Structures are given as structure tokens and as C-alpha cells.
Amino acid sequence: MGQCGITSSKTVLVFLNLIFWAAAGILCYIGAYVFITYDDYDHFFEDVYTLIPAVVIIAVGTLLFIIGLIGCCATIRESSCGLATFAAILLLVFVTECVVVVLGYIYRAKVEDEVNHSIQKVYNEYSGANRDAPSRAIDYVQRQLHCCGIHNYSDWRNTRWFKESKNNSVPVSCCQPNISNCTGTLTRPADLYQEGCEALVVKKLKEIMMYVIWAALTFASIQMLGMLCACVVLCRRSHDPAYELLVTTNSYA
């Protein structure tokens, strides 16, 4: 029965190591996705520390590749030292992912304040020129999120660009895609997106942060199972004479 339990634990460990390799790729992908997406919205928040959870999750993903290698070698070779190292690193990564979850919730709560503080400034810097970064950011967001202005299209009346252009129109990025010959004129408001961008930008950034939080929680649970299995194998190896005899016999075979 003891050998059967150890074999089952070792089988689970090998399977978990394969999951760790897959998890490493998924975590790195999620971290990269967060970086790329935040890059599209970086004009709407000024706190660079918001990206800390993404940085940490990429580091954890990279570390999981190493953990999977150590775990496989230690399980196959039945190395007590390797399994102890495996369990210790898993504990470290587990704690790190718990930190990621906490940071994710902290910065998720700060997103709305950051966007509210920055978005008016970005809209005031709009010039309509494609070479201008704030202009590109606003046009991109309005097209991608199907929105116009901060709260609605009428907010454009208060911008410097609107006052200087004096053509009673908003950028064509406010035009709905199914409307042909839309010029952004405010005399035809039905042609424009009706929803403002502020709420949608906040929603998008919060969704992205939730991807990081859920990924960290999911893989932290898997790592807890890995630590448990490693500890079971280590404990039974140290207390089960039959297992020690089996290991010694295999070593000299």
C-alpha cells in the first residue's frame, strides 16, 4: 500500500510538471498581452507601477520552466534533495503569486482614479495629427471601444482642438463604421458613437487586470497540489523502509 501511494504521488508529480511547463507559457503570454494592451492605453494612466503584476507574472512564468525541469529530474531520479528543492521553489512561487493577486486588486482599484485624472489632459492635447502620440491614442481608443469623448461626444466642444478647428465637428474616429460619408459633424449626432470613452477605458483596464489575478490564483492552486505531492513522496521515503529498500535495489541494479 505504501509503495502504491508513493507511485501515485510520483505519477501526479510528473503530470504536474508537464502542467507547469504549459502554465509557464500561458503566464508569459498573459503577461505579454497585458504589456501590449497597456501600451495602447498608457496615455490614460500615469502610474507605471500598475504594470508590476504583469512583470511579476512573466517572471513567474519563466521560473516555472525551471521548476518543471527540476521537478521532472527529481521525480525520475527519486532525489530527496531535488524534491526538497522543488518543494521550496514551489513555495516561493506560490507566495509570489499570492503577492501578484494582492497587487492586482490594489492596482485594479486605482485604475479608475488614474484614468479620471489623466483623460481630460489627453483630450486637451489632441491635435488631430497622426504623428502626435496623444492623438493616435485617442483615435485608437475611440475606434476600438466604439466611444466618443470623455462622457459623450459633446465633451469635444470643451477641447482646444475643437475650438481651434471651428468646424463644429469631432474626429472621424467618433464615426460609427456602418455610416458612410461621416465627417464627424455635430449636426448629425446619430452618426457618432453615443457612449463616452472614460468608463469603457476603465472597464477594459480592469478586465485586463482580472486576467492577471485569475491566472495567478489558478496556477497558485496547482502549485499547492505540487507542493503537497512532493511532501508526500519525501515523507514516505523517509518513513517507509520498503520504499528505501526499493530505491537502494534500483540504485544497484
Side-chain angles (χ1 to χ4, degrees):
M1 284 295 290
Q3 292 177 18
C4 240
I6 293 170
T7 303
S8 299
S9 296
K10 286 169 64 179
T11 303
V12 173
L13 264 178
V14 172
F15 179 68
L16 282 172
N17 287 322
L18 296 176
I19 291 178
F20 289 155
W21 280 330
I26 294 171
L27 287 175
C28 288
Y29 171 80
I30 292 174
Y33 170 74
V34 171
F35 263 106
I36 292 168
T37 308
Y38 264 74
D39 186 56
D40 294 327
Y41 296 89
D42 64 350
H43 285 83
F44 298 96
F45 62 93
E46 298 175 350
D47 190 353
V48 294
Y49 297 108
T50 308
L51 289 173
I52 286 178
V55 174
V56 175
I57 210 169
I58 289 175
V60 168
T62 305
L63 190 57
L64 279 179
F65 279 112
I66 302 171
I67 290 174
L69 183 61
I70 293 173
C72 270
C73 292
T75 305
I76 293 170
R77 297 182 64 180
E78 299 172 334
S79 167
S80 295
C81 180
L83 283 172
T85 303
F86 175 68
I89 297 176
L90 274 183
L91 178 61
L92 176 64
V93 174
F94 176 78
V95 171
T96 303
E97 288 189 329
C98 290
V99 172
V100 168
V101 172
V102 173
L103 288 176
Y105 273 108
I106 290 172
Y107 288 118
R108 187 174 182 270
K110 292 176 64 177
V111 162
E112 188 167 357
D113 290 336
E114 282 289 319
V115 173
N116 292 346
H117 179 263
S118 304
I119 195 166
Q120 184 67 59
K121 176 184 175 183
V122 178
Y123 269 83
N124 282 331
E125 291 176 352
Y126 185 86
S127 67
N130 192 50
R131 66 180 182 276
D132 184 47
S135 299
R136 288 199 307 272
I138 289 173
D139 286 333
Y140 173 84
V141 165
Q142 292 190 153
R143 289 193 178 100
Q144 290 295 313
L145 301 184
H146 297 173
C147 59
C148 184
I150 299 174
H151 303 102
N152 55 56
Y153 61 84
S154 65
D155 292 326
W156 277 104
R157 297 180 186 273
N158 302 319
T159 63
R160 185 178 61 186
W161 174 82
F162 183 89
K163 294 171 182 176
E164 290 177 353
S165 61
K166 298 178 180 179
N167 58 5
N168 196 37
S169 64
V170 298
V172 292
S173 56
C174 283
C175 292
Q176 299 187 43
N178 59 328
I179 304 295
S180 58
N181 302 321
C182 176
T183 60
T185 177
L186 290 178
T187 58
R188 298 179 60 183
D191 294 353
L192 310 175
Y193 293 124
Q194 303 299 304
E195 195 167 358
C197 294
E198 183 179 42
L200 294 179
V201 168
V202 170
K203 181 182 176 183
K204 180 70 174 179
L205 295 177
K206 284 187 173 182
E207 284 177 357
I208 294 169
M209 195 59 70
M210 280 306 299
Y211 296 154
V212 173
I213 292 170
W214 280 112
L217 283 174
T218 301
F219 294 118
S221 303
I222 295 172
Q223 283 154 27
M224 187 180 291
L225 182 58
M227 284 188 291
L228 180 62
C229 290
C231 289
V232 167
V233 173
L234 281 169
C235 289
R236 291 195 174 179
R237 177 168 182 168
S238 60
H239 293 96
D240 192 336
Y243 182 71
E244 286 293 339
L245 180 61
L246 179 63
V247 172
T248 306
T249 305
N250 288 340
S251 298
Y252 288 103

